[in-house]
Amino acid sequence: MILLRFFFLLLLLAGAPPALSLTQEGLYLHSVKLSLTDPDSSLAAWDDRDDSPCAWPGVGCDPASGSVTSLDLPSANLAGPFPLLLCRLSNLTFLSLYNNSITSLPSGVSACHSLVHLDLAQNLLTGDLPASLADLPNLAYLDLTGNNFSGDIPASFGRFQRLEVLSLVYNLLDGTVPAFLGNISTLKMLNLSYNPFAPGRIPPELGNLTNLEVLWLTECSLTGKIPESLGRLKRLTDLDLAINYLEGPIPSSLTELESVFQIELYNNSLTGELPPGLSKLTALRLLDASMNRLTGTIPDELTRLPLESLNLYENQLSGELPASIADSPNLYELRLFKNKLTGELPKNFGQNAPLRYVDVSTNNFSGEIPASLCAKGELEELLMIENSFSGPIPEPLGGCRSLTRVRLGNNGLSGDVPSSFWGLPRVYLLELADNKFSGPIGEEIASASGLSVLSLSRNEFTGSLPKGIGTLASLLDFSASENKLTGSLPESIASLGQLGRLDLHRNELSGELPSGIQQWKKLNELNLASNQLSGSIPGEIGSLSVLNYLDLSGNWFSGKVPVELQNLKLNQLNLSYNRLSGTLPPMFTKQMYQNSFLGNPGLCGGGMQGLCNGGGEERNSGYLWLLRSIFVLAGLVFIVGVGWFYMKYKKFKSAKRAIDKSKWTLMSFHKLGFSEDEILDSLDEDNVIGAGSSGKVYKVVLTNGEAVAVKKLWDGPRKESENHDVEKGPVQDDGFDAEVRTLGKIRHKNIVKLWCSCTTRDCKLLVYEYMPNGSLGDLLHSSKGGLLEWPTRYRIAMDAAEGLSYLHHDCVPPIVHRDVKSNNILLDADFGARVADFGVAKVVERTGKGHESMSMIAGSCGYIAPEYAYTLRVNEKSDTYSFGVVLLELVTGRRPVDPEFGEKDLVKWVCITLDQKGVDQVIDRKLDSCFKEDICRVLNIGLQCTSPLPINRPSMRRVVKLLQEISAENAPKKANRDGKLTPYYYDDASDPGSVA
Ligand SMILES: *[C@@H]1O[C@H](CO)[C@@H](O)[C@H](O)[C@H]1NC(C)=O
Ligand SMILES: *[C@@H]1O[C@H](CO)[C@@H](O)[C@H](O)[C@H]1NC(C)=O
């Protein structure tokens, strides 16, 4: 008795009233609460002083018995292992812990034997799928999407008794798609998409799943043919086999899928023609078989279906578009670009169909643009570039106010553009370049308030630029070069504050530059060459801080070269052939500007060739220059010819390539432990470890056991580029040796050491330290990519950033690499990274061979900064961009360009995927999710580096800082499910270069 009283006293003191009345099920649930981490207090209302748990949030009870039947706690931020105690709730049928942080699913889950619905999607589950799940006798719904399950699908899964929905999307399952899934005869939905399965066929047994309504096998590494048996799935409404390696023809049995609504077969290697009998698919609304190798024509019967969306782009389809497509009452999307289609579009196309997206670009279509395309008033995208369309833009399209994206470039279109067409209010991209359009640019353009890209180059437009153009506040890119435009630039054009590019070269524009151009804060390129512009060049140009390319050549500009120009970091400056006078500002008296001021007879510069030097010895410098050029050119042709003949002769004479060592000169930059003879003796084709655009690379093992890498630069006429590399600068540059000497002096732990160079008159060797783990690109994008875990990738990023920062900020003069890419980042035995191959591309720039070599394109597809692609000019920020692409590669594990991205490159793919699907779809699935927070931060840096405007990109020094900040806080990380990313603005119109 005394003891009991003491006990009560104790409880009172503790302030916790006794939990005597709560039901047993309530007590179980309360223990479940205690077993979970609940940072948001989502379960705060689960109070053990209540009598029953039935009113607790997320808990559902049977009204009659008061027994718990359902538990629904989505997105509650609960963490911890799956609470097996839940299985004590003997009537629990519905359990959803969707989007929490549940870390493990023990096999004991099979004790929850009443479960009908189990949703554990978007958690942190790892390891093998529990085989015991199949022992749940009533389970009908199993959703484990978005976890990190790995290994095989257990064989027991073939024994589910009542399962209707099985979704294992976005896991790390790496076995194959098993045949035994064909035994789950109750299945209505099977969704295994986006797993890194081992390559394997679609099991024909899946054709036994006669109740199946949805079969989603996107990106499952499927190979071989599509099995005929799938035609037995009479109830199938959705068939998605996209992004696999399927080959062979589309089986004709698929025409038996009488319920099918949607078929997705894009991005495979399917061949042959679209099967006959498609008209039997009377329910088919969406068909996407794009990005395959389909041939033949588009069958007439296909267009008799109630199709809404037809995507057959990037195939090899030929013949004409069936005229009956014009009768499709529901068709809103038609994408046929990149095929070999011919003939005309049906005259009444759009009369019946509510067309919204029409893309027939890059085919051989001809004839006129159908006038009725926008008859239903819904047309948003009209993309017809690279065809042979002719005739005018039909008048009715001028009333198509829904249009947003119009690309008619590269056709034979002609006539005046309808005046109302200029002023369509929602159009942001209007491309009419490379046609034969004539007449004026309509004053109505002032109404096109959303316009950001206006591309009119290479037509026959006349008249003056409309005054209203200055009201287009979103205009980013305006090009109308090579037309017959006259008159002066309207004053209003100066107020285009977003303008990044203005290209009006080769017109007949006259008058002075408008005042107030300091408002062109974002202008990157200004090209007004070959007009009749006059007056002085305003000093305000010097305040355009991001101006990169300035060409005012071939005009009538007079007065002085404004000293303010020296404030700019220009990659291209051309003021030649004007009437400028006075003295050149001192900065421009350098060699690299020697062609920038030619043909200005009144201009004097300190010793600059072609300009007056006070003495006036070269009054006719223009003609002299021309003459000299012709001689030099003739000389070059002769030398190249003789060289070529000599090479041929040599090859013919001796098949054996004996190297005459006496002719080699060796230049070494480090204390060498080897002699050049040793190297020359080992240049065997058997030792080739790589070949790039500039030469072959050999591995040479020296007698002392050490290895070196020897790069033999191509001699003779340069080879066509490989690996999509754009051609680099010439290697037979006179300044080569001097440059090699500079580079040889560089000592930095993150830059590959150049031991020495050996030169003869027609061949050059560079001897580097050997990097046993090869290039980052090769490793990351091979099957061994999984070896690179996040900490290694992070360190590689750090190392490479430090190397580049050294080149940019610690070398005098700074060195711009110009070809930063994952293939130029090499890995030593410990996966330490070093930047390589910075020599050759750079040589050109600083030896000052003048403009031609300076404007040589360097860089590789997918890495080239946007400003570089159109200005051919680089500075450090272009390297930053390329480095950003490397960061994105490290984060995503994807290549910078990939057919899967379609017209996009990695940068755009990341932006769009982030936007539309979230960060989880961007991050390489091979990476451990416990590093997610760090990965997101590196991703963020990658996005900053790849910002379209150079000024928004951080310097490499800053990049190093940003990366270091991550490691500073790099205590063991708890996974952060929603790694926050700063929103990133993306507008595809900023890239007029993309196809269609
Ligand atoms: C489960 O439901 C049945 C039928 O409603 C009921 O008899 C039984 O008591 C319930 N079980 C529990 C533990 O409440
Ligand atoms: C399932 O499909 C396979 C191959 O399509 C077939 O051989 C097998 O007999 C089928 N099994 C049943 C039970 O229908």
Side-chain angles (χ1 to χ4, degrees):
M1 195 60 193
I2 291 172
L3 205 73
L4 200 66
R5 205 176 290 164
F6 176 66
F7 182 57
F8 270 103
L9 196 69
L10 207 73
L11 279 174
L12 280 173
L13 280 175
L20 291 182
S21 52
L22 185 57
T23 60
Q24 182 60 46
E25 291 198 322
L27 288 170
Y28 287 141
L29 281 173
H30 193 256
S31 302
V32 166
K33 164 181 169 175
L34 298 180
S35 78
L36 294 168
T37 312
D38 180 13
D40 297 354
S41 303
S42 307
L43 305 181
W46 288 22
D47 189 337
D48 60 355
R49 287 165 301 186
D50 295 341
D51 293 341
S52 148
C54 292
W56 291 355
V59 178
C61 293
D62 174 48
S65 66
S67 151
V68 176
T69 55
S70 73
L71 189 57
D72 190 7
L73 295 167
S75 306
N77 209 8
L78 299 171
F82 181 84
L84 280 179
L85 215 51
L86 288 174
C87 297
R88 301 274 182 90
L89 305 171
S90 58
N91 287 328
L92 187 69
T93 56
F94 181 101
L95 174 56
S96 170
L97 291 168
Y98 166 79
N99 195 20
N100 282 283
S101 297
I102 305 299
T103 51
S104 66
L105 182 58
S107 62
V109 66
S110 58
C112 291
H113 57 257
S114 300
L115 275 183
V116 173
H117 183 112
L118 177 58
D119 184 352
L120 294 172
Q122 308 298 345
N123 277 283
L124 299 175
L125 302 170
T126 55
D128 289 339
L129 289 165
S132 63
L133 281 169
D135 299 334
L136 293 169
N138 299 311
L139 197 64
Y141 182 101
L142 178 58
D143 190 350
L144 301 174
T145 298
N147 282 287
N148 290 331
F149 283 115
S150 52
D152 285 310
I153 297 178
S156 63
F157 274 33
R159 296 196 294 269
F160 276 110
Q161 291 307 300
R162 300 216 157 93
L163 198 65
E164 295 179 2
V165 172
L166 176 59
S167 179
L168 304 174
V169 186
Y170 286 122
N171 275 283
L172 300 171
L173 301 172
D174 48 12
T176 49
V177 176
F180 54 72
L181 293 178
N183 296 337
I184 317 176
S185 55
T186 46
L187 216 50
K188 290 184 177 163
M189 172 168 147
L190 178 60
N191 192 351
L192 307 179
S193 302
Y194 305 109
N195 274 289
F197 285 117
R201 289 163 189 274
I202 301 178
E205 288 80 0
L206 295 187
N208 294 348
L209 297 171
T210 47
N211 288 308
L212 208 60
E213 292 165 12
V214 174
L215 178 59
W216 267 339
L217 300 175
T218 312
E219 211 176 330
C220 287
S221 312
L222 299 171
T223 58
K225 294 185 180 178
I226 300 176
E228 290 277 348
S229 65
L230 293 192
R232 304 217 302 267
L233 304 175
K234 296 285 184 249
R235 298 195 179 161
L236 201 67
T237 58
D238 289 276
L239 174 64
D240 192 336
L241 305 175
I243 320 180
N244 282 295
Y245 309 105
L246 298 168
E247 13 170 90
I250 299 175
S252 59
S253 67
L254 290 197
T255 63
E256 313 288 325
L257 297 173
E258 53 198 41
S259 311
V260 83
F261 181 93
Q262 175 168 2
I263 299 180
E264 305 280 358
L265 303 173
Y266 63 88
N267 212 334
N268 279 289
S269 299
L270 299 169
T271 49
E273 309 200 358
L274 291 167
L278 284 172
S279 57
K280 288 190 278 181
L281 302 179
T282 50
L284 191 65
R285 302 278 163 146
L286 304 136
L287 173 61
D288 190 343
S290 49
M291 293 190 269
N292 278 291
R293 297 187 199 140
L294 300 174
T295 50
T297 56
I298 299 175
D300 208 352
E301 57 172 341
L302 184 61
T303 65
R304 290 205 292 270
L305 298 174
L307 279 177
E308 293 171 6
S309 167
L310 178 60
N311 286 290
L312 296 173
Y313 57 89
E314 292 188 48
N315 279 293
Q316 287 151 29
L317 298 168
S318 53
E320 302 199 1
L321 183 62
S324 52
I325 197 152
D327 304 328
S328 301
N330 305 319
L331 192 71
Y332 69 85
E333 179 176 38
L334 178 69
R335 298 193 196 264
L336 303 174
F337 60 89
K338 287 202 187 161
N339 277 290
K340 297 172 181 163
L341 298 165
T342 52
E344 304 194 3
L345 299 184
K347 286 268 178 296
N348 58 339
F349 195 31
Q351 199 70 58
N352 306 312
L355 296 175
R356 204 174 304 159
Y357 312 107
V358 175
D359 190 344
V360 297
S361 298
T362 321
N363 278 291
N364 295 322
F365 284 116
S366 55
E368 299 202 0
I369 301 176
S372 52
L373 279 179
C374 191
K376 295 277 186 196
E378 303 199 6
L379 191 64
E380 291 175 26
E381 299 188 359
L382 178 60
L383 310 169
M384 314 182 102
I385 62 169
E386 293 171 7
N387 280 287
S388 303
F389 287 107
S390 57
I393 295 178
E395 201 68 45
L397 279 188
C400 189
R401 298 174 67 84
S402 50
L403 275 173
T404 59
R405 206 164 167 227
V406 181
R407 302 192 67 187
L408 307 178
N410 248 303
N411 279 289
L413 298 165
S414 58
D416 286 11
V417 174
S419 53
S420 51
F421 193 77
W422 290 110
L424 293 172
R426 294 180 57 206
V427 169
Y428 63 83
L429 170 58
L430 179 57
E431 178 187 327
L432 306 177
D434 297 286
N435 279 291
K436 294 179 202 142
F437 288 116
S438 53
I441 303 174
E443 209 36 84
E444 292 81 355
I445 202 162
S447 317
S449 52
L451 202 58
S452 59
V453 178
L454 178 59
S455 164
L456 307 175
S457 296
R458 292 170 299 279
N459 279 288
E460 289 159 22
F461 287 114
T462 52
S464 53
L465 290 173
K467 302 228 165 9
I469 205 142
T471 61
L472 301 176
S474 325
L475 201 60
L476 301 174
D477 189 307
F478 176 28
S479 56
S481 60
E482 298 177 57
N483 279 289
K484 295 174 181 162
L485 299 170
T486 52
S488 56
L489 294 174
E491 282 291 318
S492 66
I493 206 169
S495 53
L496 293 172
Q498 297 297 319
L499 202 61
R501 187 168 85 114
L502 179 60
D503 182 0
L504 300 172
H505 78 268
R506 274 209 212 157
N507 277 288
E508 290 151 32
L509 298 167
S510 55
E512 304 194 4
L513 289 183
S515 55
I517 62 171
Q518 68 276 7
Q519 298 170 83
W520 286 340
K521 281 281 170 263
K522 297 194 173 163
L523 197 69
N524 210 276
E525 176 179 348
L526 178 61
N527 189 348
L528 301 174
S530 306
N531 280 288
Q532 291 143 32
L533 297 165
S534 56
S536 59
I537 298 174
E540 285 94 349
I541 272 193
S543 68
L544 307 181
S545 55
V546 295
L547 194 68
N548 202 297
Y549 183 111
L550 176 62
D551 192 344
L552 302 177
S553 63
N555 279 289
W556 298 347
F557 286 111
S558 54
K560 293 188 175 174
V561 175
V563 287
E564 291 90 338
L565 274 186
Q566 297 185 110
N567 302 337
L568 297 175
K569 262 202 160 174
L570 292 171
N571 281 320
Q572 159 81 312
L573 172 63
N574 194 350
L575 302 181
S576 59
Y577 300 97
N578 276 290
R579 296 166 182 184
L580 299 168
S581 56
T583 323
L584 260 192
M587 199 181 116
F588 298 120
T589 57
K590 293 187 201 139
Q591 270 271 284
M592 64 178 289
Y593 296 110
Q594 66 173 0
N595 295 334
S596 300
F597 302 97
L598 296 168
N600 286 289
L603 200 56
C604 298
M608 284 277 285
Q609 205 182 357
L611 292 185
C612 92
N613 275 320
E617 21 142 348
E618 286 193 2
R619 278 287 132 105
N620 296 322
S621 57
Y623 298 107
L624 273 182
W625 179 81
L626 197 68
L627 266 180
R628 198 178 298 158
S629 310
I630 290 170
F631 271 110
V632 168
L633 207 67
L636 268 178
V637 168
F638 179 70
I639 291 168
V640 168
V642 168
W644 180 81
F645 181 77
Y646 175 70
M647 293 287 301
K648 283 272 158 187
Y649 175 72
K650 217 172 82 173
K651 280 224 173 103
F652 176 68
K653 193 79 191 247
S654 65
K656 214 161 152 262
R657 298 182 105 251
I659 303 174
D660 182 358
K661 288 165 198 164
S662 62
K663 284 189 190 142
W664 289 81
T665 45
L666 175 94
M667 211 189 311
S668 85
F669 314 104
H670 297 255
K671 224 164 152 269
L672 297 182
F674 54 87
S675 73
E676 69 269 36
D677 293 6
E678 237 188 298
I679 292 187
L680 299 177
D681 288 336
S682 321
L683 293 187
D684 224 350
E685 291 306 292
D686 295 342
N687 296 337
V688 172
I689 51 173
S693 50
S694 56
K696 269 188 191 165
V697 183
Y698 302 79
K699 176 186 177 181
V700 173
V701 181
L702 304 166
T703 42
N704 64 9
E706 275 186 47
V708 292
V710 180
K711 182 180 228 177
K712 185 172 178 226
L713 299 175
W714 298 124
D715 40 13
R718 276 172 288 133
K719 295 280 193 302
E720 265 309 299
S721 56
E722 292 157 45
N723 311 331
H724 301 288
D725 280 6
V726 183
E727 190 54 82
K728 293 179 186 173
V731 296
Q732 316 76 340
D733 194 296
D734 289 338
F736 174 80
D737 290 343
E739 184 63 29
V740 162
R741 221 177 288 129
T742 324
L743 295 173
K745 282 192 210 121
I746 293 180
R747 303 276 191 282
H748 190 271
K749 67 181 170 63
N750 300 122
I751 289 172
V752 170
K753 275 195 200 67
L754 178 61
W755 290 124
C756 65
S757 76
C758 310
T759 337
T760 63
R761 267 182 44 226
D762 55 358
C763 178
K764 289 167 206 282
L765 300 182
L766 295 169
V767 182
Y768 295 99
E769 61 178 329
Y770 176 67
M771 301 291 281
N773 274 315
S775 82
L776 170 63
D778 287 344
L779 199 60
L780 187 61
H781 302 307
S782 72
S783 52
K784 288 187 277 180
L787 285 180
L788 291 172
E789 287 170 349
W790 179 251
T792 315
R793 295 193 195 187
Y794 168 77
R795 200 158 58 89
I796 291 171
M798 193 72 230
D799 285 353
E802 286 185 24
L804 287 172
S805 171
Y806 176 82
L807 292 177
H808 290 181
H809 302 291
D810 300 310
C811 289
V812 184
I815 295 179
V816 182
H817 187 295
R818 304 214 301 173
D819 196 12
V820 177
K821 57 178 173 178
S822 55
N823 280 338
N824 282 341
I825 294 174
L826 303 184
L827 304 174
D828 65 20
D830 300 315
F831 293 97
R834 290 174 214 198
V835 180
D837 212 0
F838 50 91
V840 189
K842 263 253 39 289
V843 175
V844 185
E845 175 146 1
R846 288 202 298 118
T847 49
K849 283 214 83 183
H851 276 283
E852 276 328 291
S853 51
M854 276 192 55
S855 59
M856 197 78 67
I857 296 183
S860 305
C861 261
Y863 293 96
I864 301 178
E867 76 277 9
Y868 187 25
Y870 54 78
T871 64
L872 296 183
R873 288 290 175 268
V874 278
N875 58 27
E876 292 90 316
K877 290 296 181 70
S878 325
D879 276 357
T880 304
Y881 181 93
S882 310
F883 179 73
V885 177
V886 173
L887 287 184
L888 298 184
E889 281 184 273
L890 286 168
V891 167
T892 62
R894 288 168 186 269
R895 292 172 195 275
V897 284
D898 190 315
E900 190 197 315
F901 305 155
E903 61 178 281
K904 299 182 280 287
D905 58 16
L906 179 60
V907 176
K908 282 185 205 132
W909 178 85
V910 168
C911 294
I912 290 176
T913 312
L914 264 182
D915 213 36
Q916 298 178 347
K917 302 185 182 159
V919 67
D920 289 316
Q921 303 315 314
V922 171
I923 295 178
D924 190 349
R925 286 197 298 270
K926 292 194 277 299
L927 291 172
D928 189 339
S929 59
C930 78
F931 296 108
K932 181 164 168 187
E933 196 176 330
D934 286 357
I935 298 173
C936 285
R937 295 176 66 179
V938 172
L939 173 59
N940 221 343
I941 299 172
L943 291 174
Q944 284 180 46
C945 290
T946 51
S947 159
L949 275 181
I951 198 170
N952 294 337
R953 295 176 207 146
S955 69
M956 281 314 297
R957 188 171 271 163
R958 173 98 187 109
V959 172
V960 171
K961 266 264 167 54
L962 291 170
L963 285 168
Q964 277 167 346
E965 277 165 27
I966 297 177
S967 80
E969 303 168 25
N970 213 359
K973 283 271 153 56
K974 183 177 154 286
N976 175 6
R977 291 199 63 79
D978 1 71
K980 294 272 182 309
L981 281 164
T982 44
Y984 187 78
Y985 172 73
Y986 171 73
D987 177 6
D988 71 344
S990 65
D991 177 25
S994 67
V995 175

